[in-house]
Amino acid sequence: MFTDWQAFRAAFLNQLQSMHGKSLEEASPEDKYTALAVMVREYISNAWVQTNKHYENKGEKQVYYFSIEFLIGRLLGANLLNIGVRSEWEKWLAELGIDLNQLENEEPDAGLGNGGLGRLAACFLDSMASLQLPCHGCGIRYKYGLFEQKILDGYQVEHPDNWLKNGCMWEIRKFDKAVQVKFGGTVWSEEKNGKLVFHHDNAQTVLAVPYDIPVIGYQNSTVNTLRLWSAETVQEDFDLLAFNQGNYVKAVEYKYSIESISEILYPDDSHYEGRVLRLKQQYFLVSAGLQSIVRRFKKKHGSILDFAEKISIHINDTHPAMAIPELMRILMDEEGLSWNEAWQITKNTIAYTNHTILPEALEKWPVDIMKSLLPRIFMIIEELNKQFCSHLWSHYPGDWQRIASMAIIADNYVHMAHLAVVGSYSINGVAKIHTNILKQDVMKNFYHFYPYKFNNKTNGITHRRWLLKANPDLARLITNSISPSWIYYPQYLSTLLRYSEDAAFLEALDKIKETNKMNFANWVHNKYGITIDGSSIFDVHVKRIHAYKRQLMNALRILELYTRLKENPNLEMVPRTFIFAGKAAPGYFLAKRVIKLITTLAAVINNDSTIQGKMKVLFLENYSVSLAEMIFPAADVSEQISTASKEASGTGNMKFMMNGAVTIGTLDGANIEIHEEVGDDNIVIFGLTAKEVMNYYQNGGYRPWELVQSDTRLRKLLDQLVNGSLPVPREEFRVLYDSLVNSDEFFVLKDYAAYVEAQEKIDMLYRDNSRWNKMCLSNIAHSGKFSSDRTISEYAIGIWKAKPVVIGDILEPY
Ligand SMILES: *Cc1c(COP(=O)(O)O)cnc(C)c1O
């Protein structure tokens, strides 16, 4: 496209002029960002069109990944990198006096997700395109993403995330591809030519308008599509109210009530939100997504009968599980298939990923709500349930208890996980231990009935964003040492092991970490005015704030260490900087109080000169993809301390590992597989196992109060929460204290001693600098398995049977 700087310069200046009517001198950083984004868009536009053409013509199987969240973050930097022009354009921009990094920071994060689940979907898109797979994302274009978190007086306050206020540079509105989604009303049927025909009267119709975002593969000319749906009023409905009925105000109210469907992302992580609007969002997503897929399919194939051979629909958790009855509805009511024909197609099209075993996260919708909001969908679910239960009856005659535990509708609720299991051909967990718990425990009856459906796909992260982009110095060292092959084949990172005894390499690794830590420390200083010691251990605990993730255990250890340091200022320890970040769900009282505890500790410890700067505590505001990209490269220690059995996989653990941090963690989720990869010497494992935890649960928990009574250290520590020694009202942390001593559902106290010991081991290991560097190297070298390229190839081969489609050389690399 641009053969030299002159051509690039002319195009950029022209873009500034035509978009903003400004010269380079007049243009603001935001103007420059948008101009550059448009240049990227133009650059890939032909490849995008060609990719879609190839998919139409080749007739290869297409995969659609349905997810209620896509936490994609910023796109400019990642897009430039994937196109293969980032370093060249960076250089050219620098010659114009422009810092590319600064322009990249102008882009608002697309925060259309809460945490791990949404970020997984975003990493998957990157891997799908980079592996040249014909796979597309399907989601909701929330007008407001996850709230922006600020800390005020030590407390979390939520602000709306108006990420679209200046428009999104990457989306293309496709009004001609809009479809209608129906809610409410009544359904009746009549017999016509021996067939039941269904009619849906008095429904409220919502127009679903797609916005397409390009998903650019890594230097391969593939440009896939992430299609996000936005809710709008059908124009005639508005006109009818406003003009024909003369009620303009009512018409405007009506418009807002319709648009509210895609207004906000629900801010709950690991806790299902039972509101009607959420149910509307879920149906809106699947109905719009499926209608557009079926429409496109029919245009190409004419007949719908081989749909399942040509299409896979993947549902990311149960939020899109209504894809099952909705596909049945479309096939029967709109395409005229029989129930049996529709069922054959549906159950061979849909595949389901389970993400959690936390009971409070399992979705169930009250029958009467679903019945009135989605009458036809409910009828289909009811019929499915009837057939499934009678099927079960013939396999397990008389075993009512088993059948009731598996029914789709039970106790006046629709159980979405059961619907997902019955209606899909594949069910996967997201790490080995998680899949085993599904098979042996949470879904054991289903596993007994459908053993062939269950499989594991351990999560992964895109090494392009999380290493190549986030940690350019480390990426350069790796490329210079082992060639750029690792970018295409991340498992090739294992060849780094040949440097395990290479002092110069380990030294270089150490230097990079030091530089990253210094840069981060400078950023912290500029933003918060807090000075942190670049030679201290950066001990990082970043993720959603949730009781099972046990930020409270870390905070208690910090309080104890601080107390010991006060008593003995000469205590032998490597200075540590404890870094926290994470959002709490706005209604999650306990999690918000944990934030207050951490910020209180920070206020006390950071201002205490008697400990000679040996400890610092930071709570960074507004954990998001871009903040995460800054933190991981600077981390020494990765806190992965969830109660064993609770974290299905975790993906933060993988990002840390890939950036050379050492994990302190429990045998939970993917920590277990990280441990398998790096071995005992390169990770610090502690605490109860999942088996032990689950045994306690089955026997009514344990008695934390007895533990506290018998353990003076623990008693003294817990007392500090409520005895007025912290500069907060005396009752401030009473709820935390009570949650621990009364039930300690997440075994914080039970695991506490083991955690302290593990932390002392970290301190000891860090003192041996060359040993520590080897541990870092081992983690980086073994991180290839945790690339989402590996995960996505496993999905493509094992679940979707999808093959790569080579687009050719449309984007010529320079
Ligand atoms: C990776 C990531 C997560 C998930 O972190 P876990 O430690 O696996 O819970 C959440 N939020 C953001 C912004 C992330 O990048």
Side-chain angles (χ1 to χ4, degrees), residues 166-435:
N166 299 323
C168 167
M169 294 310 298
W170 307 108
E171 63 183 16
I172 296 185
R173 177 181 163 93
K174 298 255 172 83
F175 191 77
D176 59 319
K177 301 258 162 62
V179 298
Q180 298 194 346
V181 178
K182 293 194 162 119
F183 293 98
T186 48
V187 172
W188 57 277
S189 58
E190 61 177 340
E191 229 186 88
K192 257 193 196 157
N193 309 326
K195 247 184 184 171
L196 269 187
V197 177
F198 288 85
H199 301 272
H200 195 166
D201 290 346
N202 302 315
Q204 189 182 63
T205 304
V206 177
L207 193 66
V209 180
Y211 287 71
D212 287 355
I213 294 178
V215 182
I216 302 170
Y218 186 74
Q219 299 190 17
N220 62 9
S221 298
T222 294
V223 181
N224 286 339
T225 302
L226 167 59
R227 176 161 281 185
L228 300 178
W229 295 93
S230 182
E232 295 186 13
T233 321
V234 176
Q235 190 63 41
E236 293 78 51
D237 292 354
F238 183 86
D239 295 346
L240 185 75
L241 271 172
F243 307 130
N244 300 14
Q245 294 176 20
N247 201 334
Y248 178 71
V249 171
K250 202 164 166 205
V252 174
E253 281 171 2
Y254 174 75
K255 178 170 159 3
Y256 278 113
S257 79
I258 296 276
E259 289 171 359
S260 71
I261 294 173
S262 55
E263 190 83 354
I264 69 152
L265 165 74
Y266 278 98
D268 271 297
D269 190 63
S270 323
H271 196 287
Y272 99 97
E273 166 59 68
R275 268 183 261 212
V276 176
L277 185 59
R278 173 71 167 196
L279 187 63
K280 279 192 185 174
Q281 292 184 335
Q282 296 186 350
Y283 182 66
F284 175 74
L285 165 65
V286 299
S287 181
L290 283 170
Q291 287 185 61
S292 90
I293 292 165
V294 168
R295 187 194 270 182
R296 180 166 165 180
F297 185 86
K298 275 174 46 187
K299 212 172 97 192
K300 176 167 167 53
H301 298 266
S303 158
I304 199 81
L305 288 170
D306 55 353
F307 191 80
E309 282 79 66
K310 296 288 176 199
I311 305 278
S312 265
I313 306 227
H314 204 97
I315 57 175
N316 193 24
D317 213 326
T318 58
H319 320 121
M322 275 179 293
I324 291 155
E326 175 64 4
L327 184 54
M328 291 290 288
R329 183 193 70 77
I330 293 172
L331 294 174
M332 294 187 299
D333 299 1
E334 292 179 13
E335 302 305 322
L337 301 194
S338 70
W339 175 280
N340 285 338
E341 288 169 325
W343 181 236
Q344 281 305 320
I345 291 174
T346 301
K347 70 175 193 196
N348 289 315
T349 298
I350 295 185
Y352 156 57
T353 297
N354 173 283
H355 278 272
T356 181
I357 62 158
L358 296 180
E360 67 269 30
L362 296 179
E363 287 194 290
K364 48 182 196 171
W365 291 101
V367 160
D368 40 339
I369 289 181
M370 199 179 268
K371 213 174 183 166
S372 67
L373 187 69
L374 305 166
R376 180 65 181 131
I377 291 304
F378 183 73
M379 283 172 82
I380 293 169
I381 293 175
E382 215 171 18
E383 178 61 25
L384 256 174
N385 183 52
K386 207 175 92 193
Q387 296 197 6
F388 177 59
C389 288
S390 88
H391 200 50
L392 287 176
W393 178 257
S394 64
H395 273 76
Y396 307 113
D399 196 349
W400 277 119
Q401 222 176 348
R402 178 189 296 262
I403 294 169
S405 78
M406 299 170 75
I408 299 170
I409 303 173
D411 309 322
N412 272 313
Y413 283 99
V414 179
H415 294 257
M416 301 304 271
H418 299 188
L419 174 63
V421 168
V422 173
S424 55
Y425 67 91
S426 167
I427 300 144
N428 73 282
V430 291
K432 277 188 206 164
I433 183 180
H434 169 60
T435 301

Side-chain angles (χ1 to χ4, degrees), residues 71 115-116 119 466 542-543 549 623-625 628 640 650-652 655:
L71 187 47
R119 184 54 230 175
W466 295 109
V542 293
K543 49 183 77 244
K549 292 178 183 278
Y623 188 51
S624 57
V625 174
Q640 306 301 335
T651 48
K655 299 168 198 164

Side-chain angles (χ1 to χ4, degrees), residues 789-806:
D789 286 9
R790 188 268 312 149
T791 313
I792 284 299
S793 347
E794 289 178 6
Y795 275 88
I797 294 167
I799 299 179
W800 304 325
K801 321 288 177 210
K803 295 195 198 77
V805 174
V806 178

Side-chain angles (χ1 to χ4, degrees), residues 71 114-117 119-120 269 461 466 542-544 548-549 623-626 628-629 632 639-640 647 649-653 655-656:
L71 187 47
N114 274 282
L117 175 141
R119 184 54 230 175
L120 184 77
D269 190 63
I461 55 164
W466 295 109
V542 293
K543 49 183 77 244
R544 287 299 287 252
Y548 85 80
K549 292 178 183 278
Y623 188 51
S624 57
V625 174
S626 1
E629 287 170 26
F632 291 113
E639 298 273 352
Q640 306 301 335
E647 188 77 89
S649 163
T651 48
N653 46 5
K655 299 168 198 164
F656 278 107

